[in-house]
C-alpha cells in the first residue's frame, strides 16, 4: 500500500492498478496512472523506463527489481545503452526492429507478448473480448510458478501459489499477465476480432490485418513483420495444416461454485485427481450413492470451488442430463439436448460426494452472461497443427507467422499440461522472433522452430532441466536433450510461401497405430516359403499350401516347436488326433509365444476358414521372421521378447490364468490334486521351460467351445465374427464391443476381468460377484490380483481400498494355500517397510543435506516412539530444485522471502520431517519445511493422476483405431468371400491388404498390453498407499491400548503390504529384464 502521507496521485493510481481484480479496473487505473505521469500508453519499453523513473517509492521499487532481474538475462541484452539513469532494460535491436501483432489475450498470448516486449519489439495485441470471466482453474508446473513469481505475480495477486497451492484461475492469470504487458508497453486493443491477413498491395508496403469492427486508422494502418496467433483452437491462420486426433467419446463437465472463504471451506482438502483406472472403489461408491458414473474428478480452490470431471454418456442419459442419444457429438451436447437443471443437480451431487458434503450449500458462480458457470464439453478429438511456424512473402515483404497456445496444440485437460506447454511454446516463439530479427535465414529460423516443436509434446516436469531458476528464453536453459538441427532447412521448404496457400484444411488422423509395424507379411508366396523353411526336417510334415497342409495339426505343432523347443518332442505326437494336436499348438502359441488365436482348432482341421488360417500364420511370420533358419529342425528357443512379439501380452495372459487358478483354490474347486504351477516367470526372455506332458499322458483335448468351431460366431451375441473382429478369451471368440462387464458395461481389458462360475457372465474385477461364505473372511478384495513372481508359487494380495480396523476380521486360511511362518517386525522396521518405493530412478543423485539445525531436530524426533502423519511417504524421484517461499499473508510486503529455494532432502531426512510434521506445535516453527512436504505429496499425486489419464486416453484411442480396422477388414473379407469371379491378382491384393490390417491390429493389441502393465503399476502403487495409511493408523496407537483383534488386524495389513511390495518388485524385475533383453537383441549389441 502507498504511504498514508504520500500526496502523489500517481502513487494512488499505481496501487489501484496493482490491486485491481477486474479487467476494466486494470485498464482504467493504468490510464489514470499514465495520465498522472504524462505518458502515452503503449509506447514499448521507453514507456516502462519513464514509469519506472517517476515511480521510485518502495512499493514500486520491489516490482521494478523483479522485472529488471528478468531483463538482465543475456538473451535480452542486444544493446544496453539505456537512456534513462539506472536503466537496466535492453534497448530494441537496431536497425531491424520487429513489429509484432499478437492475436488473443489468453494466458499464452499475453505471455508471448511480454517476451516480445522484453526483446524490444513493438507489440500490438488484439482481443475480441472486453473482459476476463473464465473461472476455470489451471494446474501449474514448478517452472511456471517460478516464472510468474519472477514477473511479480505476488505483487498483483497476493494469494498466488501460497503454501502448497500449484494452480490459479484463468481469470487471475490473465489479469496479472495483462498488468505486466501494460507496464512493458504492449499496445492492447479490446473488442477487435482478427479476420485475416491483408497482403502488401505493392513493393514497399508491409503486411496488415483485416479486423472487425472497423479499427482506428492507427491500428488499420499498422504494418508488421511478425504475427503470433494465440486465438484458440477454433482459429488457425491460413496456410497451416491441422491434424485431428480422435479417441473414444469423452464428455467433460466443468463447474464453479461460489467460494465464500469460510474456515470450513478452507479446511476441505483439494483433489489433485482421482482416476477410475487405479481407484475403482471411489467411483463404485459414488455410483452406489448417487447413480453418477465418472471416469475421473479434480477439485481445486481459487476464486471459486472448481470441479472438472469426465462423465459417461449412458449415465447422463439415464439421469436425464441428456435428452436423446445422438451419434454427432455437437448435437449430443448442444443446448437443445442438455437439460440445465439436471446438469446442475448432477454436478452438485458429484461435488458433494467428492468433498463429503463439507463445502455446505453449494451455490453456482456466474459466468460472463450471468448464468450458472457449468458446462459440458466434448474432448473426444483434439487438434494439433502439423507445423508451428511459416513464412509468407509478397512483393519482397516477408511475414513470420507463429502459433502458440490451443491453436498450436489443444491440451488434454486431465494431464494439466495446457498452460505449461503453452508458456514453453510462447518462449520458443519469442526465441524464433529473436533469431528472425537478428537476420538469420528464414529457412534456418523455421528449421530451429520445428526442431523445438518436436520436443513440446514430450515435455514434463521430470524430463526438463531441474533448476527452474535458470530457465530463460534460450531453449538450452529448458530442454536437456536439445538438438536444434533435428529438422533441416531442406525439410521446411514447404513452410516458405511466396503467396498465401489455401484456407486451413483439417486432416483426420486415423489414430497412430502405436509402435511401427515390424514389416508386412508380404505376399502369400513369401508367407508360404517362410512356413516351409520353419517346418522343414520334421517327420510327417510337408507344407505345400496355406490350407490343407495344416489340417493334421503336425505342421502347426512343428512351427511351435521350432520357436519353443522343449514343449513337446515330435515323437510324442504319434497316435495323437489332429484335433488334439491342433488344439495343443493353438494353446501353446498363445500361452508361450503371445500369438492369440483367431480361429478354432476345428476350423483349422476342417479347413473351413482359410482366410483365418492365413491371418493366424501371418502373425507368426511378422513376429519371428528375423529368426535365423535352422535346417536341422531343432532350433534354439526364441526369446519371448523377440521382434514382433509382446512380452506384455504374455505377462498379462499368464497373470490372468494365475488369477483364475487362485480363485479356483479359494472357492475350493478341484485342481486335479496337483499344486498349480505359477505360470509366469517375470523374466524376459523366459528361462523356465513350460510344462511338458508326462510320458503316456495324452494332450489336453480342446474345449467344447473350440470343438464347436465357434470362431465364426460371437459367444455372446451370436452374430458373425469377421477376422479383424475376433477377440479370444478363455477359448471363446467375441466382438470387442460385446466383451464388456455385465454390470457396468466397461470394456474388459486383458488381465482385468473374470468369468463368474455361477452365472457365466464376464465382469471387471471391481464388479465380480463374491461367494457369500468367502466375502467377509477372505483376504482378497474384488480387485485383488496376484502378480506373478519368479520365486514363490502363490502370494495373496490385499484389497485396493483402505478398510477401517473395525471392519477387519481374521483371515480364513485356505487348505490349498502354502503354509507360512508369521514374521514379527518392530515398529521402526514396519515403518521402513511401509515407506519402500521400488520404482528405480537411474538419474537419482545424492541431494544436498538440509540445514544442520533442522536435521538434528528431525533425528531427535525419530528417537521417540513412532508418530505417523497420515500422508503418503515416497522417496523423492530426484533432486528437484523448486522455489519455496516463506509465505506471508496476502497483504505482506516482505517480497524478499519469495526467492528462497527449498533445500532438497535425502530420503531419511524427509521421512523424519514427515514424522515430525504430526507435532503441529513443533512444525509451526518450521512452516517452509511443512509446505515443502505437502507440495511434494501433491506433486506425486498429480503425477500419478496424469499418468493414469494419459494411459486411459491412449487406451481409448486404441479402441477407436481397432474399430476402424475392424470396419476396413470386414469390407475386405466380404470382398474376398463373395467375389469368387474376381481376377486372382485382385484377390491376392486384397489378401495382402487384409494381412497388413491384421498386423496393425496385432501392434495395437501389443501396445494395449503394455499400457495395462502400467495400469497394474498404478493400482499397486495406490494399494500400497492405502495399506500404508492403514498400517500407520495402527502403529500410532499405544501398544497398551491395542486389543487382540487390533493386533491381528495389524498383522493382516502388514502381510498384505508385504504382498503388494512383492508384486511391485515382480513388475519391476519383469520390466528390467525385458529392457535388457531388448538391448541385447538390438543390432550391434553383440559387438
Amino acid at each position: 500500500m502507498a504511504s498514508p502521507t504520500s500526496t502523489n496521485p500517481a502513487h494512488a493510481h499505481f496501487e489501484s492498478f496493482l490491486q485491481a481484480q477486474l479487467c476494466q479496473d486494470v485498464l482504467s487505473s493504468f490510464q489514470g496512472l499514465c495520465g498522472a505521469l504524462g505518458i502515452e500508453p503503449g509506447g514499448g519499453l521507453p514507456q516502462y523506463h519513464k514509469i519506472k523513473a517517476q515511480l521510485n517509492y518502495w512499493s514500486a521499487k520491489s516490482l521494478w527489481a523483479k522485472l529488471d532481474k528478468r531483463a538482465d538475462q543475456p538473451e535480452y541484452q542486444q544493446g544496453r545503452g539505456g537512456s534513462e539513469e539506472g536503466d537496466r532494460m535492453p534497448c530494441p535491436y537496431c536497425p531491424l526492429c520487429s513489429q509484432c501483432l499478437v492475436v488473443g489475450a489468453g494466458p499464452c498470448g499475453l505471455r508471448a507478448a511480454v517476451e516480445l516486449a522484453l526483446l524490444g519489439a513493438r507489440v500490438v495485441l488484439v482481443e475480441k473480448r472486453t473482459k476476463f470471466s473464465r473461472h476455470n482453474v489451471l494446474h501449474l508446473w514448478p517452472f511456471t510458478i517460478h516464472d510468474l513469481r519472477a514477473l511479480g505475480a505476488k505483487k498483483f495477486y497476493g494469494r498466488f501459489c501460497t503454501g502448497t497451492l500449484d494452480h490459479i484461475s484463468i481469470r487471475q492469470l490473465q489479469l496479472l499477465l495483462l498488468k505486466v504487458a501494460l507496464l512493458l508497453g504492449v499496445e492492447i486493443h479490446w473488442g477487435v476480432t482478427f479476420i485475416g491477413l491483408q497482403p502488401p498491395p505493392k513493393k514497399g508496403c508491409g503486411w496488415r490485418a483485416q479486423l472487425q469492427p472497423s479499427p482506428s486508422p492507427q491500428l488499420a494502418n499498422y504494418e508488421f513483420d511478425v504475427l503470433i496467433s494465440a486465438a484458440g483452437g477454433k482459429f488457425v491462420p491460413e496456410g497451416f495444416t491441422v491434424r485431428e486426433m480422435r479417441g473414444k467419446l469423452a464428455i467433460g463437465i466443468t463447474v464453479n461454485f461460489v467460494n465464500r472463504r469460510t474456515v470450513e471451506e478452507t479446511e476441505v482438502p483439494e483433489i489433485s485427481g482421482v482416476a477410475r483406472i487405479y481407484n475403482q472403489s471411489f467411483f463404485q461408491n459414488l455410483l452406489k450413492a448417487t447413480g453418477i458414473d465418472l471416469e475421473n474428478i479434480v477439485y481445486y480452490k481459487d476464486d471459486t470451488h472448481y470441479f472438472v470431471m469426465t462423465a459417461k454418456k449412458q449415465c447422463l442419459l439415464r439421469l436425464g442430463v441428456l435428452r436423446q442419444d445422438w451419434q454427432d457429438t455437437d448435437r449430443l451436447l448442444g443446448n437443445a439436448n442438455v437439460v440445465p437443471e439436471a446438469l446442475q443437480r448432477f454436478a452438485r451431487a458429484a461435488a458433494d460426494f467428492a468433498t463429503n458434503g463439507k463445502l455446505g450449500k453449494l451455490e453456482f458462480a456466474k459466468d460472463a452472461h450471468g448464468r450458472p458457470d457449468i458446462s459440458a464439453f466434448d474432448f473426444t478429438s483434439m487438434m494439433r497443427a502439423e507445423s508451428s511456424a511459416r513464412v509468407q512473402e509478397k512483393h519482397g515483404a516477408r511475414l513470420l507467422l507463429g502459433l502458440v497456445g490451443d491453436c498450436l496444440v489443444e491440451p488434454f485437460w486431465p494431464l494439466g499440461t495446457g498452460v505449461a506447454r503453452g508458456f514453453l511454446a510462447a518462449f520458443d516463439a519469442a526465441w524464433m522472433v529473436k533469431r528472425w530479427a537478428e537476420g538469420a535465414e528464414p529457412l534456418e529460423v523455421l528449421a530451429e522452430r520445428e526442431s523445438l516443436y518436436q520436443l513440446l509434446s514430450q515435455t514434463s516436469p521430470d524430463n526438463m532441466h531441474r533448476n527452474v531458476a535458470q530457465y530463460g528464453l534460450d531453449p538450452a536453459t529448458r530442454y536437456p536433450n536439445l538438438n536444434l538441427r533435428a529438422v533441416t532447412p531442406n525439410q521446411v521448404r514447404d513452410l516458405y510461401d511466396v503467396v498465401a496457400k489455401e484456407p486451413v484444411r483439417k486432416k483426420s488422423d486415423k489414430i497412430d497405430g502405436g509402435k511401427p509395424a515390424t514389416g508386412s507379411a508380404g505376399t502369400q508366396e513369401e508367407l508360404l516359403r517362410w512356413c516351409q523353411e520353419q517346418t522343414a526336417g520334421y517327420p510327417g510334415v510337408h507344407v505345400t499350401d496355406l490350407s490343407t497342409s495344416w489340417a493334421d495339426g503336425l505342421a502347426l505343432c512343428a512351427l511351435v516347436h521350432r520357436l519353443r523347443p522343449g514343449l513337446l518332442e515330435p515323437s510324442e505326437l504319434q497316435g495323437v488326433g489332429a484335433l488334439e494336436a491342433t488344439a495343443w499348438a493353438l494353446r501353446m502359441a498363445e500361452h508361450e509365444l503371445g500369438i492369440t488365436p483367431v480361429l478354432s482348432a476345428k476350423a483349422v482341421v476342417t479347413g473351413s476358414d482359410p482366410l483365418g488360417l492365413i491371418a493366424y500364420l501371418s502373425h507368426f511370420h511378422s513376429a519371428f521372421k528375423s529368426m535365423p533358419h535352422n535346417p536341422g529342425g531343432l532350433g534354439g528357443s526364441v526369446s519371448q521378447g523377440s521382434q514382433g512379439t509382446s512380452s506384455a501380452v504374455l505377462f498379462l495372459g499368464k497373470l490372468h490364468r494365475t488369477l483364475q487358478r487362485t480363485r479356483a483354490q479359494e472357492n475350493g474347486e478341484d485342481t486335479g490334486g496337483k499344486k498349480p504351477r505359477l505360470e509366469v516367470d517375470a523374466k524376459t526372455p523366459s528361462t523356465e521351460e513350460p510344462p511338458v506332458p508326462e510320458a503316456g499322458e495324452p494332450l489336453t483335448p480342446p474345449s467344447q467351445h473350440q470343438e464347436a468351431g465357434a470362431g465364426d460366431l460371437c459367444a455372446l451375441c451370436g452374430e458373425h465374427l469377421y477376422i479383424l473382429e475376433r477377440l479370444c478369451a478363455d477359448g471363446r471368440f467375441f466382438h470387442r464391443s460385446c466383451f464388456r462387464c455385465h454390470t457396468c458395461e466397461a470394456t474388459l481389458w486383458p488381465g482385468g476381468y473374470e468369468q463368474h462360475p455361477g452365472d457365466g457372465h464376464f465382469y471387471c474385477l471391481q464388479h465380480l460377484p463374491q461367494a457369500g461364505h468367502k466375502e467377509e473372511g477372505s483376504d482378497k478384495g474384488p480387485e485383488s490380483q496376484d502378480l506373478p513372481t519368479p520365486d514363490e508359487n502363490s502370494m495373496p494380495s490385499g484389497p485396493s481400498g483402505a478398510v477401517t480396523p473395525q471392519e477387519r476380521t481374521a483371515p480364513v486360511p485356505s487348505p490349498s494355500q502354502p503354509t507360512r511362518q508369521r514374521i514379527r517386525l518392530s515398529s521402526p522396521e514396519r515403518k521402513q517397510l511401509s515407506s519402500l518405493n521400488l520404482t528405480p530412478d537411474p538419474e537419482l543423485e545424492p541431494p544436498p543435506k538440509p540445514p544442520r539445525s533442522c536435521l538434528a531436530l528431525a533425528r531427535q524426533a525419530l528417537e521417540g516412539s513412532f508418530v505417523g502423519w497420515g500422508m503418503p511417504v515416497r522417496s523423492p524421484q530426484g533432486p528437484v530444485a523448486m522455489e519455496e517461499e516463506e509465505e506471508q499473508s496476502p497483504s505482506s510486503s516482505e517480497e524478499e522471502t519469495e526467492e528462497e529455494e527449498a533445500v532438497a532432502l535425502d530420503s531419511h531426512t524427509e521421512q523424519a520431517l514427515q514424522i515430525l510434521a504430526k507435532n503441529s506445535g513443533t512444525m509451526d516453527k518450521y512452516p517452509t519445511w511443512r509446505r515443502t512436504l505437502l507440495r511434494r505429496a501433491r506433486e506425486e499425486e498429480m503425477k500419478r493422476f496424469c499418468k493414469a489419464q494419459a494411459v486411459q486416453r491412449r487406451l481409448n484411442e486404441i479402441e477407436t483405431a481397432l474399430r476402424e480396422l475392424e470396419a476396413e477388414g470386414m469390407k475386405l473379407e466380404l470382398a474376398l468371400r463373395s467375389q469368387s469371379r474376381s481376377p486372382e491378382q485382385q484377390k491376392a491384393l486384397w489378401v495382402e491388404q487384409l494381412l497388413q490390417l491384421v498386423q496393425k491390429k496385432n501392434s495395437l493389441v501389443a501396445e494395449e498390453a503394455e499400457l495395462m502393465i502400467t495400469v497394474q503399476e498404478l493400482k499397486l502403487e495406490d494399494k500400497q498407499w492405502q495399506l500404508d495409511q492403514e498400517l500407520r493408523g495402527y502403529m500410532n496407537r499405544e501398544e497398551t491400548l491395542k486389543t487382540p483383534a487390533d493386533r491381528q488386524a495389524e498383522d493382516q495389513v502388514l502381510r498384505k503390504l508385504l504382498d503388494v511390495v512383492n508384486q511391485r518388485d515382480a513388475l519391476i524385475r519383469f520390466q528390467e529384464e525385458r529392457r535388457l533383453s531388448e538391448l541385447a537383441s538390438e543390432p550391434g549389441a553383440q559387438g
Side-chain angles (χ1 to χ4, degrees):
M1 300 295 289
S3 171
T5 59
S6 173
T7 57
N8 189 339
H11 292 186
H13 285 297
F14 184 70
E15 292 300 326
S16 298
F17 173 73
L18 293 181
Q19 303 300 327
Q21 290 297 300
L22 295 175
C23 185
Q24 294 301 325
D25 293 343
V26 172
L27 297 176
S28 61
S29 59
F30 186 73
Q31 288 285 351
L33 173 64
C34 291
L37 298 177
I39 298 173
E40 186 69 24
L45 285 179
Q47 170 208 278
Y48 168 78
H49 302 325
K50 294 175 183 177
I51 295 177
K52 173 183 159 187
Q54 297 187 54
L55 288 179
N56 56 6
Y57 72 107
W58 65 269
S59 183
K61 281 185 175 180
S62 61
L63 179 59
W64 308 147
K66 286 184 173 295
L67 296 178
D68 288 349
K69 183 177 179 180
R70 174 74 183 189
D72 274 342
Q73 295 183 8
E75 294 84 1
Y76 306 114
Q77 304 302 311
Q78 299 299 322
R80 253 184 210 260
S83 58
E84 304 292 340
E85 60 176 282
D87 183 9
R88 298 174 60 85
M89 298 291 285
C91 287
Y93 25 74
C94 295
L96 182 60
C97 185
S98 291
Q99 309 287 319
C100 302
L101 177 67
V102 178
V103 180
C108 297
L110 288 167
R111 191 65 191 86
V114 167
E115 285 302 307
L116 295 174
L118 287 171
L119 284 170
R122 183 189 175 190
V123 185
V124 174
L125 186 149
V126 293
E127 167 58 47
K128 65 181 180 180
R129 296 183 178 89
T130 57
K131 60 182 178 180
F132 299 149
S133 58
R134 290 185 288 175
H135 295 296
N136 293 357
V137 179
L138 301 173
H139 173 69
L140 300 178
W141 290 3
F143 95 84
T144 52
I145 296 175
H146 185 279
D147 176 70
L148 291 169
R149 281 176 174 157
L151 293 176
K154 292 287 288 183
K155 291 291 297 183
F156 304 121
Y157 183 51
R159 287 191 295 269
F160 176 75
C161 287
T162 55
T164 63
L165 298 183
D166 57 359
H167 49 263
I168 187 173
S169 70
I170 298 177
R171 190 182 72 85
Q172 287 293 350
L173 181 57
Q174 288 178 286
L175 283 173
L176 68 89
L177 288 173
L178 171 64
K179 295 174 184 179
V180 176
L182 289 172
L183 288 174
L184 294 179
V186 176
E187 182 180 330
I188 302 179
H189 297 268
W190 302 92
V192 177
T193 301
F194 178 84
I195 302 301
L197 289 169
Q198 181 179 334
K202 60 183 179 178
K203 193 173 183 63
C205 298
W207 291 80
R208 298 179 182 178
Q210 298 178 10
L211 305 170
Q212 288 183 353
S214 298
S216 63
Q218 179 184 2
L219 181 59
N221 297 325
Y222 176 62
E223 296 184 349
F224 48 89
D225 63 334
V226 175
L227 171 67
I228 301 297
S229 175
K234 296 188 181 300
F235 175 79
V236 180
E238 292 184 2
F240 287 91
T241 302
V242 179
R243 183 178 62 183
E244 180 184 16
M245 297 175 290
R246 284 198 71 83
K248 187 179 175 182
L249 176 65
I251 301 175
I253 296 175
T254 61
V255 58
N256 286 276
F257 298 105
V258 174
N259 187 355
R260 301 178 181 83
R261 305 189 187 280
T262 63
V263 175
E264 293 77 12
E265 290 174 297
T266 304
E267 293 176 349
V268 177
E270 295 181 329
I271 303 173
S272 296
V274 181
R276 175 188 290 272
I277 200 169
Y278 63 83
N279 192 350
Q280 296 179 354
S281 59
F282 173 87
F283 295 95
Q284 182 63 18
N285 292 335
L286 171 65
L287 180 62
K288 291 179 180 178
T290 64
I292 293 174
D293 204 1
L294 300 179
E295 290 289 344
N296 52 49
I297 187 168
V298 174
Y299 162 51
Y300 285 146
K301 272 182 288 193
D302 201 82
D303 288 342
T304 61
H305 295 290
Y306 170 69
F307 292 84
V308 59
M309 60 200 80
T310 303
K312 293 189 176 182
K313 181 180 72 171
Q314 294 302 324
C315 171
L316 296 176
L317 289 167
R318 175 168 44 82
L319 296 179
V321 177
L322 301 178
R323 290 188 170 92
Q324 285 184 275
D325 187 5
W326 302 102
Q327 290 298 321
D328 180 60
T329 53
D330 291 336
R331 192 173 184 182
L332 178 70
L333 300 177
N335 291 334
N337 200 45
V338 177
V339 181
E341 296 79 9
L343 180 61
Q344 293 171 24
R345 289 194 299 269
F346 183 98
R348 184 181 279 114
D352 267 331
F353 181 88
T355 58
N356 294 319
K358 294 181 180 179
L359 290 178
K361 184 178 180 181
L362 293 171
E363 178 185 347
F364 288 95
K366 302 299 181 182
D367 62 13
H369 305 286
R371 298 189 295 259
D373 194 352
I374 181 173
S375 64
F377 62 97
D378 168 41
F379 62 99
T380 302
S381 62
M382 296 182 295
M383 311 306 295
R384 176 186 177 90
E386 292 198 339
S387 61
S388 59
R390 304 187 70 87
V391 172
Q392 294 186 11
E393 180 178 350
K394 189 171 185 180
H395 296 306
R398 292 174 175 172
L399 175 66
L400 176 66
L401 300 96
L403 305 180
V404 298
D406 288 2
C407 65
L408 180 63
V409 180
E410 283 188 332
F412 181 48
W413 73 260
L415 300 185
T417 58
V419 68
R421 291 179 179 169
F423 276 24
L424 290 175
F427 297 155
D428 295 339
W431 177 260
M432 173 184 68
V433 174
K434 179 179 184 295
R435 298 276 291 126
W436 172 265
E438 289 172 342
E441 288 296 323
L443 290 180
E444 288 284 348
V445 173
L446 291 174
E448 283 191 7
R449 179 67 188 95
E450 295 308 308
S451 298
L452 291 172
Y453 183 39
Q454 289 184 347
L455 297 175
L456 185 63
S457 61
Q458 307 169 19
T459 54
S460 70
D462 295 329
N463 61 19
M464 297 181 65
H465 278 310
R466 298 301 182 98
N467 191 355
V468 298
Q470 294 183 359
Y471 281 22
L473 196 62
D474 188 346
T477 64
R478 295 176 269 122
Y479 305 115
N481 303 314
L482 179 64
N483 179 13
L484 290 176
R485 299 186 180 275
V487 177
T488 64
N490 199 41
Q491 293 174 290
V492 294
R493 289 187 179 276
D494 62 324
L495 302 182
Y496 196 146
D497 299 329
V498 177
V499 293
K501 287 189 176 180
E502 302 172 353
V504 177
R505 54 190 181 277
K506 295 184 179 181
K507 184 170 68 176
S508 179
D509 183 13
K510 298 269 185 172
I511 299 301
D512 180 17
K515 300 179 180 176
T518 56
S520 172
T523 63
Q524 296 182 62
E525 290 76 12
E526 180 184 351
L527 176 60
L528 175 60
R529 185 168 55 252
W530 180 83
C531 291
Q532 290 171 337
E533 292 174 353
Q534 297 302 315
T535 57
Y538 284 90
V541 177
H542 303 284
V543 176
T544 59
D545 55 31
L546 297 175
S547 57
T548 58
S549 296
W550 305 84
D552 59 3
L554 297 181
L556 198 55
C557 289
L559 183 58
V560 173
H561 181 269
R562 163 80 68 179
L563 302 174
R564 286 298 301 274
L567 291 176
L568 185 70
E569 290 301 324
S571 59
E572 298 181 27
L573 292 173
Q574 296 179 2
V576 176
L579 196 61
E580 288 81 358
T582 304
W584 176 87
L586 290 174
R587 187 170 60 254
M588 287 301 103
E590 180 182 11
H591 292 185
E592 302 300 333
L593 296 175
I595 308 292
T596 55
V598 295
L599 75 170
S600 65
K602 185 175 181 180
V604 176
V605 173
T606 60
S608 60
D609 191 4
L611 279 179
L613 180 59
I614 293 174
Y616 182 61
L617 293 175
S618 72
H619 196 176
F620 284 91
H621 175 258
S622 61
F624 300 105
K625 67 178 181 178
S626 60
M627 186 191 76
H629 172 55
N630 185 348
L634 298 174
S637 175
V638 175
S639 165
Q640 63 181 352
S642 298
Q643 182 183 17
T645 63
S646 172
S647 54
V649 172
L650 285 171
F651 184 84
L652 287 177
K654 295 181 178 182
L655 165 64
H656 182 67
R657 291 188 291 276
T658 301
L659 177 61
Q660 285 181 317
R661 282 198 304 272
T662 304
R663 292 195 180 280
Q665 293 176 19
E666 290 179 350
N667 294 330
E669 296 178 4
D670 183 18
T671 58
K674 294 182 180 180
K675 181 179 180 180
R677 183 182 66 86
L678 188 64
E679 288 202 42
V680 174
D681 188 331
K683 300 179 180 179
T684 305
S686 177
T687 58
E688 178 188 351
E689 294 297 338
V692 180
E694 300 176 1
E697 180 182 347
L699 294 175
T700 305
S703 67
Q704 180 181 357
H705 305 292
Q706 287 179 326
E707 287 188 276
D712 291 338
L713 300 177
C714 175
L716 289 176
C717 70
E719 297 294 329
H720 182 75
L721 276 171
Y722 294 92
I723 294 173
L724 267 294
E725 293 179 323
R726 296 175 189 173
L727 183 149
C728 183
D730 297 336
R732 291 184 286 173
F733 294 94
F734 308 88
H735 292 103
R736 286 182 65 93
S737 58
C738 294
F739 194 59
R740 296 177 178 274
C741 174
H742 183 67
T743 299
C744 66
E745 298 186 352
T747 301
L748 298 177
W749 307 108
Y753 70 89
E754 185 64 64
Q755 184 179 19
H756 191 264
D759 57 23
H761 295 300
F762 288 93
Y763 296 88
C764 66
L765 298 181
Q766 175 67 25
H767 299 109
L768 180 64
Q770 300 296 301
H773 67 282
K774 292 281 185 180
E775 187 169 4
E776 295 180 357
S778 174
D779 265 3
K780 295 176 178 284
E783 288 184 83
S784 192
Q785 293 189 17
D786 282 341
L787 281 182
T789 58
D791 299 321
E792 297 189 34
N793 290 330
S794 178
M795 297 287 288
S797 63
S800 62
V803 182
T804 59
Q806 289 76 9
E807 295 172 335
R808 294 287 178 187
T809 59
V812 178
S814 174
S816 60
Q817 292 179 343
T819 58
R820 302 188 196 180
Q821 183 177 0
R822 179 170 295 182
I823 301 175
R824 295 289 185 181
L825 299 179
S826 61
S827 291
E829 289 173 330
R830 291 176 179 176
K831 186 186 72 60
Q832 185 177 5
L833 170 66
S834 66
S835 303
L836 285 178
N837 188 334
L838 297 174
T839 304
D841 189 346
E843 299 180 358
L844 191 62
E845 298 177 1
K849 293 184 178 180
R852 179 184 301 271
S853 59
C854 193
L855 176 62
L857 182 61
R859 301 286 189 203
Q860 181 180 0
L862 279 177
E863 293 177 0
S865 59
F866 174 81
V867 181
W869 186 21
M871 66 172 287
V873 180
R874 305 190 189 280
S875 300
Q877 297 283 333
V880 181
M882 182 179 66
E883 181 179 8
E884 182 64 54
E885 61 184 356
E886 185 75 34
E887 300 290 356
Q888 305 292 331
S889 64
S891 61
S892 173
S893 62
E894 297 295 330
E895 293 291 332
E896 292 79 2
T897 59
E898 296 177 16
E899 306 304 326
E900 294 182 5
E901 296 291 331
V903 180
L905 307 177
D906 61 57
S907 58
H908 296 295
T909 304
E910 183 170 359
Q911 187 180 79
L913 288 170
Q914 287 169 337
I915 296 171
L916 184 66
K918 181 68 175 178
N919 189 336
S920 58
T922 304
M923 210 54 195
D924 287 342
K925 301 177 183 178
Y926 303 96
T928 303
W929 289 112
R930 184 175 185 275
R931 282 191 296 272
T932 299
L933 297 176
L934 287 172
R935 178 167 288 173
R936 288 190 177 175
R938 289 173 57 85
E939 287 175 357
E940 289 299 316
E941 183 181 7
M942 189 65 186
K943 284 180 185 177
R944 183 172 58 181
F945 176 72
C946 291
K947 188 175 183 180
Q949 294 311 299
V951 169
Q952 185 68 64
R953 174 72 185 187
R954 185 55 188 155
L955 286 173
N956 292 339
E957 290 176 349
I958 289 174
E959 188 172 347
T960 301
L962 287 172
R963 283 201 302 267
E964 294 176 356
L965 288 178
E966 290 172 0
E968 294 181 41
M970 183 178 66
K971 294 178 182 178
L972 282 173
E973 191 174 345
L974 283 173
L976 283 167
R977 295 184 186 275
S978 60
Q979 302 296 329
S980 58
R981 298 182 181 179
S982 298
E984 291 300 320
Q985 185 178 2
Q986 179 64 55
K987 290 182 178 180
L989 179 60
W990 284 340
V991 170
E992 186 173 349
Q993 292 175 348
L994 182 66
L995 296 183
Q996 290 174 352
L997 294 180
V998 169
Q999 190 174 353
K1000 289 181 180 179
K1001 175 188 174 181
N1002 293 336
S1003 178
L1004 287 171
V1005 170
E1007 184 185 357
E1008 182 182 56
E1010 298 280 356
L1011 294 173
M1012 292 311 300
I1013 294 291
T1014 304
V1015 171
Q1016 296 294 335
E1017 290 181 296
L1018 292 170
K1019 287 183 177 180
L1020 288 174
E1021 185 178 348
D1022 186 69
K1023 189 182 296 184
Q1024 181 175 344
W1025 182 85
Q1026 299 277 3
L1027 292 172
D1028 178 87
Q1029 301 305 299
E1030 190 173 355
L1031 184 60
R1032 288 174 183 275
Y1034 285 115
M1035 291 192 295
N1036 285 347
R1037 301 183 188 180
E1038 294 289 341
E1039 287 292 330
T1040 57
L1041 300 179
K1042 292 181 181 179
T1043 64
D1046 290 338
R1047 293 189 179 92
Q1048 187 178 30
E1050 183 178 359
D1051 289 339
Q1052 183 179 349
V1053 174
L1054 181 58
R1055 285 197 305 274
K1056 292 181 178 181
L1057 187 57
L1058 280 166
D1059 294 338
V1060 171
V1061 169
N1062 280 322
Q1063 293 176 48
R1064 292 188 68 187
D1065 182 55
L1067 269 181
I1068 292 168
R1069 277 185 283 175
F1070 162 76
Q1071 292 174 327
E1072 179 64 15
E1073 292 294 338
R1074 182 178 57 181
R1075 184 184 67 84
L1076 295 176
S1077 175
E1078 291 171 353
L1079 290 175
S1081 63
E1082 289 180 358
Q1086 301 297 332

